[in-house]
């Protein structure tokens, strides 16, 4: 008997008991929808967390904090940078030297901001993907670029702090600098204490560029990126490494480090996410202390895999309950159709054919239930994603992160759910199908079954 | 066509521990030649239906051999016997045994479906077979919409549709009036002559037995061999 004929045969049989078959399908659909929706919470939260992690730091980024030598961590120097750049799969190595005091930057004598300043290697930053929102990269020693939020924090100097900041601790708009920054001359004032007296040194600089806005709304970049020669000028003035302000008795401590040129922050950018782990492993083998988001993601993935598996198992219980309905429906179908089965066996139907027809019928109920269940699950998932944030925001009066998704149904989850539904329904149809093959021809034809 | 050798059969009766056996057939041996119509006659409870069920493979004999068309069917397993039945044996039952939810056309088509005949061929074959039994205009009728004689004709068409060399008939006229019975017996004789089909008919009716070339009589499980009533 050909599959197409078996399918036709099953369809005809199912039509005879439309209501019963539909109710069984509905039970399976609800079980399947429950499984998918339940597991979709795991998938949704996992995805939200991954997106959140990936927004914080680029996924191809590896931060290197130092090198372990004889149990102590050493700072990173030029030879380390050269080694990093030689590793295959590395796209760029960015490095910063941070000023050890926060200089005051003032413009037109009326606006000022005390913020961090650091040197950076612009060619490597460009390779790593640095983009300016305005202007161009510095070409001369006294040229600088500023962070995206530098201007919004540059405030009038003669206003008290209580008056200057709003409730969100940001500079009120009326006190913000509203002029042009590009090409503007700005003064950088650094200090040093000598004989308990504060001495100041002012360096005139020109702004040539402004960086792109950071990925996260709540993250502010108000740093100032200076050249190596400006850093040297500051170091000459303070007489300390990185312009550190001396406190009595500390002058000699910094002099040792002054001779060595080291980097405060070194970041390796891999060519693609696949090689990040490889590079991290290599760095670890060379005793470098490094951190990449991939290692964090591995832990997140591991945890959520367990959570998702747990949710799928719980959801499968609902499908198992639905399978009792299928077992019941199929048993009734076998009993009702016993005379027909008897006739078919009498004229030459093989037991295997009879079994296949009933297994096909339970599979079709399972498959139809899974398809309807998947559609229901998608509707429920969309409703949850739409309504739950509104409910939570109105109850807790707190805005939820925009990337947060409570429920997500990837195609893999649909495949898993449909697969589970099919396996469970085929298994629940097997016993009634076997019973059908064991029907006695003579008893069935005498209507004694 | 059919050879039955030293066939014995009994049924087990009673519950566990108190079982007894009821012997229904004892040492049955006979032959049916190709293109013969053989009637097996006997009183109710004589074992004639059991003999037909054994030949059909619906039950297995306790002892003895059955050969059909050169195959020792008593050695076949359930699956192989089913396949053998489909190809070699057609059945006509007393109560027609049509599937009530299927039309006459679909009932006749069933053996073709089981055999895996392509759909486009099936329509032609079923139409042709229904025409042979005079029901070409009743293909779309359900069994409940047909008379007893018409239902038995559908049953004959279903038995014929795969052109088996042998048809086993169990009281084929048992549910029919005498006029319809006469028409049906004429049809059986016609099919035997035109298509060369061998018929083994179980009956208690002398009129049915009369159309056979030979009658085999069974009494209390023992065979009383009859003579040839018509030349082949």
């Amino acid at each position: 008997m050909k599959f197409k004929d078996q399918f036709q045969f099953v369809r005809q049989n199912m039509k005879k008991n439309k209501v019963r078959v539909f109710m069984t399908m509905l039970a399976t659909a609800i079980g399947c929808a429950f499984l998918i929706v339940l597991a979709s919470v795991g998938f949704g939260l996992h995805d939200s967390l991954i997106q959140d992690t990936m927004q914080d730091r680029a996924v191809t980024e590896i931060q290197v904090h130092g090198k372990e030598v004889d149990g102590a961590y050493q700072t990173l120097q030029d030879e380390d940078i050269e080694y990093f750049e030689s590793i295959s799969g590395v796209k760029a190595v960015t490095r910063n030297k941070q000023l050890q005091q926060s200089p005051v930057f003032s413009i037109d004598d009326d606006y000022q901001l005390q913020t961090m300043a650091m040197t950076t290697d612009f060619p490597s930053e460009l390779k790593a993907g640095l983009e300016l929102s305005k202007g161009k990269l510095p070409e001369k020693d006294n040229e600088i670029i500023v962070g995206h939020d530098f201007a919004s924090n540059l405030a009038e100097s003669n206003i008290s702090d209580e008056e200057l900041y709003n409730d969100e601790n940001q500079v009120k708009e009326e006190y913000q600098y509203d002029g042009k920054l590009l090409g503007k001359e700005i003064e950088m004032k650094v200090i040093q204490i000598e004989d308990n007296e504060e001495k100041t040194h002012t360096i005139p600089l020109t702004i040539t560029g402004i960086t792109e806005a950071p990925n996260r709304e709540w993250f502010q970049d108000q740093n100032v990126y200076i050249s190596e020669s400006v850093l040297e000028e500051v170091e000459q003035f303070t007489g300390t490494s990185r312009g550190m302000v001396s406190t009595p008795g500390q002058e000699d401590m910094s002099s040792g480090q002054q001779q060595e040129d080291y980097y405060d922050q070194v970041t390796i950018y891999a060519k693609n996410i696949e090689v990040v782990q490889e590079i991290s492993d290599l760095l670890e083998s060379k005793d470098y202390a490094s951190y990449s988001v991939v290692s964090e993601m591995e832990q997140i993935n591991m945890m959520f895999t367990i959570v998702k598996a747990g949710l799928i198992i719980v959801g499968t219980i609902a499908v198992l309950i639905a399978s009792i309905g299928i077992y019941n429906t199929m048993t009734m179908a076998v009993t009702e159709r016993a005379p027909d089965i008897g006739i078919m066996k009498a004229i030459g139907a093989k037991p295997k054919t009879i079994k296949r027809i009933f297994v096909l019928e339970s599979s079709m109920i399972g498959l139809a239930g899974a398809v309807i269940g998947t559609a229901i699950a998608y509707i429920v998932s969309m409703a949850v994603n739409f309504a739950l944030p509104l409910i939570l925001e109105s109850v807790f009066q707190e805005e939820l992160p925009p990337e947060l998704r409570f429920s997500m149904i990837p195609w893999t989850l649909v495949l898993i759910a449909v697969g589970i539904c099919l396996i469970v329904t085929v298994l629940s149809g097997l016993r009634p199908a076997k019973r059908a093959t064991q029907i006695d021809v003579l008893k069935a034809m005498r209507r004694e079954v | 066509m059919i050879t039955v050798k030293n066939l014995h059969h009994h049924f087990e009766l009673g519950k566990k521990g108190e079982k007894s056996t009821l012997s229904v057939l004892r040492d049955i041996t006979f032959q049916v030649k190709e293109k013969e119509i053989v009637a097996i006659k006997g009183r109710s409870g004589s074992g004639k239906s059991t003999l037909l069920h054994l030949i059909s493979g619906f039950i297995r004999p306790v002892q003895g051999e059955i050969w059909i068309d050169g195959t020792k069917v008593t050695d076949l397993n359930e699956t192989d016997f089913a396949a053998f039945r489909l190809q070699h044996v057609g059945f006509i039952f007393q109560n027609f045994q049509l599937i009530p939810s299927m039309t006459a056309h679909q009932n006749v088509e069933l053996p073709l479906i089981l055999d895996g005949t392509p759909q486009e061929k099936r329509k032609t074959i079923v139409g042709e077979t229904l025409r042979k039994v005079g029901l070409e205009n009743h293909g779309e009728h359900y069994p409940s919409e047909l008379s007893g004689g018409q239902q038995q004709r559908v049953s004959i068409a279903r038995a014929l549709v795969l052109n088996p060399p042998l048809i086993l008939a169990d009281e084929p006229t048992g549910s029919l009036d005498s006029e319809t019975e006469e028409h049906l017996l004429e049809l059986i004789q016609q099919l035997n002559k035109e298509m060369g089909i061998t018929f083994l008919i179980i009956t208690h009716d002398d009129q049915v037995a009369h159309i056979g070339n030979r009658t085999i009589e069974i009494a209390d499980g023992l065979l009383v061999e009859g003579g040839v009533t018509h030349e082949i």
Side-chain angles (χ1 to χ4, degrees), chain B residues 8 39-40 55 93 123 126 134 165 167 210 218 232:
Chain B
H8 291 260
I40 297 180
I55 295 168
F93 301 100
K123 204 179 170 186
V126 173
I167 288 182
H210 187 71
I218 293 181
I232 301 166

Side-chain angles (χ1 to χ4, degrees), chain A residues 157-175:
Chain A
S157 52
N158 53 355
I159 309 292
S160 67
D161 279 0
E162 293 89 43
E163 178 62 21
L164 194 61
Y165 295 104
N166 62 18
D167 294 341
E168 287 166 3
N169 217 18
Q170 286 172 341
V171 176
K172 288 177 184 169
E173 216 167 305
E174 63 261 36
Y175 303 127

